[in-house]
Amino acid sequence: MKRGLSPLHLAVLAAGFAFLYVPIALVVIYSFNASRLVTVWGGFSTQWYVSLFANEQLLQAASISLRVALASAALSTVLGTCAAFALQRFGRFPARTLFTGLLYAPLVMPEVIIGLALLLLFVGLGIDRGFWTIVIGHTTLGLCFVAVVVQARLAGFDRSLEEAAQDLGASPARTFRAITLPLIAPAMAAGFLLAFTISLDDFVIASFTSGPGSTTLPMRIYSQVRLGLTPEINAISTLLIGIVGLSLLAATVINRLKAPSVR
Amino acid sequence: MSARAPLSGLRRMVLAAPALWLFLFFLAPFALVLKIALSKPAIAQPPYEPTFSLIEGWQALWDKIGTLSFDTFALVIGDDLYLAAYLSSLRLAAIATLLTLLIAFPLSLAMARAPKHWRTALVMLAIAPFWTSFLIRIYAWIMLLKEEGLINKLLLSLGIISTPLSIFATEGAVLIGIVYSYLPFMILPLYNALERQDPSLLEAASDLGATPLTSFWTITVPLARSGIFAGLLLVFIPAVGEFVIPDLLGGSDTLMIGRTLWNEFFDNRDWPTASAVAIFLLVLLIAPLMNYERQQMKEAVR
């Protein structure tokens, strides 16, 4: 077959990635716009970042979002890893089909349905909505993503290492700590970051499950966007893109560093 | 390993934790959605009646169960507005899904045919936008599409158009938003299916005199079928229930069922109607959802 890339393929790639990235790049560029009108370029300025850090409401929302994301990502990682083990290692347990269905359904289920159902549950149980109800909502979604990522790692896993450790007299607990955990740790880290960004990003489920005093960052951004475009939204967006970009980079590096030594 | 052996105590706990969580916070709430869809709206806290409780005794509870009715369902079925919203959601989601496929296919093919050492980076590039905030990506398109937006500015200054295009607040803008947001979900399964294909098949076809177009339709596309199918479902199912995109990019006349549900719930505070709409949406999506699950399970077995 041909080596390298044909000009046609190169053109397709260039056009496709331009479509994906130009809008995001424009948001970043226009965050440094001196003009108050977002789409009118008025020279370079970082004033919107300054005003961002004076916006109490926004900072408060950002802090809630970060804490929700940390808590739900941690819970998701634990529960999702358990689910991945159950799927990959437990053979055919009762109700396996139902369990698998429950794990995959939230990945595509419209968020308005998940959000509404959760809210009605909390109201029905008489639970006050706030920080923890958002965490529960995000964990329900996040654990499914973690399960998919960790399960993929477990599927490509060389079990002879575990068997060797047990043959050499290691207890199951020791085998798990010394062999299994380090081998799946990169996938768990990637799953954690995935659950973290999904939580940080979610607007719909948070709107249903939040209560007074627990407005998250996407909820603030949404209400600002509805009021009209301001360069401040571009500035906060740029910061978020930066954070996500860095954690994505970190996830790749972690996965790369550990992966070759495994296989 | 122990394929059918009973699960040990530890294993049971490992399975029970996520299973209970999903049961309690994902499956069980649907029973409540159904119950509230059968209730009546009320000016109370919570805004529906009856509310069940055992404090008033079994008889009172039983009487209350008797007051549940399908009135709200009848209302939703009888009102043309809801039907129009369902149909328009299905139509917009279907068009957007096909557009996504048309854009993603050549892109995934070019990625799969790229030199091996490029591929990982290309896949990363294709899915990275999924990690950036959904709201921000929609915001970007507001910036681009508005009357005084960047696309109109550019086209006007180049003299291609003399009056600004009005794309913003139309169904067209909603389609662009869905295609843009869900493109990574289409690219990933397509790329996986295309990358697995054995290039020697195409060589054999061309040796036997097939034109590139013939081999594309008789080899490349049929072999990518599972990926195409997965991608269609991954985009179509969430797109039908989409709220943010029609709300921010659509006009006030852009009907989508996710938006209707949202408005009933948050603006009209009509929880029973919102619940009935959710049940209908679920029924509508049950067939594609089942298909998607079957695919995932096959994929997991492989």
Side-chain angles (χ1 to χ4, degrees):
Chain A
M1 276 297 273
K2 283 171 288 182
R3 306 244 158 223
L5 212 55
S6 73
L8 178 67
H9 284 164
L10 200 63
V12 168
L13 287 175
F17 285 115
F19 175 63
L20 280 173
Y21 282 95
V22 167
I24 299 174
L26 287 171
V27 170
V28 173
I29 293 169
Y30 277 83
S31 74
F32 297 105
N33 190 355
S35 162
R36 173 160 282 283
L37 293 167
V38 175
T39 54
V40 181
W41 184 255
F44 181 88
S45 155
T46 52
Q47 59 167 312
W48 303 111
Y49 290 89
V50 178
S51 76
L52 202 65
F53 285 101
N55 187 334
E56 289 281 332
Q57 279 191 329
L58 215 57
L59 291 181
Q60 167 97 30
S63 128
I64 290 172
S65 274
L66 277 176
R67 283 183 293 140
V68 167
L70 277 177
S72 67
L75 271 168
S76 298
T77 307
V78 174
L79 291 167
T81 305
C82 287
F85 266 94
L87 279 188
Q88 198 62 39
R89 294 283 180 88
F90 289 7
R92 292 188 197 171
F93 51 84
R96 187 190 158 102
T97 315
L98 176 67
F99 181 67
T100 320
L102 285 181
L103 263 182
Y104 288 129
L107 301 177
V108 287
M109 183 77 77
E111 287 177 324
V112 284
I113 298 185
I114 303 180
L116 177 73
L118 271 170
L119 172 114
L120 295 179
L121 175 79
F122 295 137
V123 171
L125 294 176
I127 298 171
D128 280 336
R129 279 169 284 151
F131 180 85
W132 285 106
T133 49
I134 311 178
V135 171
I136 289 174
H138 287 175
T139 303
T140 307
L141 197 58
L143 86 91
C144 303
F145 281 92
V146 175
V148 170
V149 175
V150 176
Q151 195 204 352
R153 184 75 169 200
L154 280 172
F157 187 101
D158 187 358
R159 302 212 53 184
S160 58
L161 286 167
E162 287 178 338
E163 282 157 27
Q166 300 215 320
D167 288 348
L168 292 170
S171 67
R174 175 112 196 258
T175 309
F176 181 79
R177 260 205 327 270
I179 309 282
T180 318
L181 203 54
L183 285 178
I184 60 163
M188 286 170 70
F192 178 92
L193 285 168
L194 188 54
F196 182 82
T197 44
I198 286 168
S199 166
L200 206 59
D201 185 26
D202 168 73
F203 162 70
V204 173
I205 295 179
S207 300
F208 279 101
T209 52
S210 78
S214 59
T215 305
T216 64
L217 190 58
M219 290 166 73
R220 278 265 175 261
I221 295 179
Y222 173 81
S223 53
Q224 283 210 9
V225 170
R226 292 223 65 179
L227 290 177
L229 310 180
T230 72
E232 217 174 83
I233 304 174
N234 291 56
I236 183 85
S237 303
T238 304
L239 288 180
L240 274 176
I241 292 170
I243 293 172
V244 168
L246 282 180
S247 56
L248 193 59
L249 203 65
T252 322
V253 171
I254 294 170
N255 242 331
R256 278 277 170 79
L257 282 182
K258 302 235 172 131
S261 62
V262 172
R263 306 225 159 156
Chain B
M1 273 291 283
S2 48
R4 274 166 192 278
L7 300 178
S8 70
L10 178 69
R11 290 188 154 209
R12 242 180 240 163
M13 271 163 59
V14 166
L15 172 62
L20 276 178
W21 184 284
L22 287 170
F23 177 79
L24 185 60
F25 296 121
F26 184 69
L27 191 59
F30 286 110
L32 271 166
V33 177
L34 183 64
K35 185 242 149 184
I36 286 158
L38 298 173
S39 309
K40 288 185 184 59
I43 301 171
Q45 192 60 258
Y48 55 83
E49 61 181 18
T51 49
F52 293 158
S53 101
L54 270 178
I55 299 168
E56 298 148 53
W58 284 103
Q59 188 53 46
L61 182 69
W62 188 245
D63 292 344
K64 279 185 174 175
I65 289 174
T67 67
L68 291 180
S69 76
F70 286 93
D71 291 357
T72 312
F73 282 102
L75 184 98
V76 171
I77 292 173
D79 194 329
D80 286 346
L81 175 78
Y82 298 108
L83 184 68
Y86 278 112
L87 293 179
S88 141
S89 295
L90 287 177
R91 180 174 54 85
L92 287 174
I95 298 172
T97 308
L98 287 179
L99 286 176
T100 315
L101 177 66
L102 287 180
I103 295 176
F105 202 93
L107 190 55
S108 314
L109 193 63
M111 285 165 62
R113 301 278 159 84
K116 259 214 165 74
H117 56 276
W118 280 34
R119 287 183 205 162
T120 320
L122 288 175
V123 172
M124 285 292 295
L125 266 179
I127 53 173
F130 166 72
W131 294 66
T132 45
S133 169
F134 187 69
L135 270 177
I136 294 173
R137 282 179 288 154
I138 301 303
Y139 174 75
W141 281 99
I142 303 179
M143 255 175 73
L144 284 163
L145 296 176
K146 271 214 151 174
E147 197 112 328
E148 69 278 9
L150 295 172
I151 289 182
N152 274 327
K153 283 245 163 76
L154 181 73
L155 294 178
L156 283 171
S157 68
L158 291 176
I160 298 173
I161 50 171
S162 51
T163 49
L165 306 169
S166 33
I167 317 170
F168 182 69
T170 64
E171 289 190 347
V174 175
L175 291 177
I176 294 175
I178 297 178
V179 170
Y180 183 71
S181 306
Y182 288 99
L183 197 58
F185 291 97
M186 186 70 89
I187 292 177
L188 212 55
L190 277 183
Y191 169 82
N192 281 335
L194 290 168
E195 211 250 7
R196 269 206 294 261
Q197 288 181 11
D198 186 350
S200 59
L201 286 173
L202 292 178
E203 279 170 53
S206 95
D207 288 350
L208 292 170
T211 62
L213 200 65
T214 316
S215 13
F216 176 78
W217 284 113
T218 54
I219 298 173
T220 312
V221 173
L223 282 178
R225 215 167 41 203
S226 69
I228 295 175
F229 201 55
L232 289 176
L233 291 171
L234 275 173
V235 176
F236 180 76
I237 302 172
V240 172
E242 187 53 58
F243 162 72
V244 177
I245 297 174
D247 194 56
L248 291 180
L249 289 176
S252 51
D253 56 341
T254 311
L255 278 177
M256 278 191 89
I257 199 66
R259 202 179 180 191
T260 309
L261 191 160
W262 183 281
N263 291 339
E264 289 297 348
F265 187 86
F266 286 103
D267 302 341
N268 300 344
R269 275 185 69 79
D270 186 343
W271 292 18
T273 302
S275 302
V277 169
I279 298 271
F280 277 116
L281 179 54
L282 209 58
V283 169
L284 203 67
L285 292 180
I286 225 75
L289 260 172
M290 298 286 239
N291 260 315
Y292 160 79
E293 306 252 304
R294 242 203 337 256
Q295 281 240 324
Q296 289 300 308
M297 286 184 208
K298 260 194 278 174
E299 198 69 20
V301 169
R302 202 180 287 161

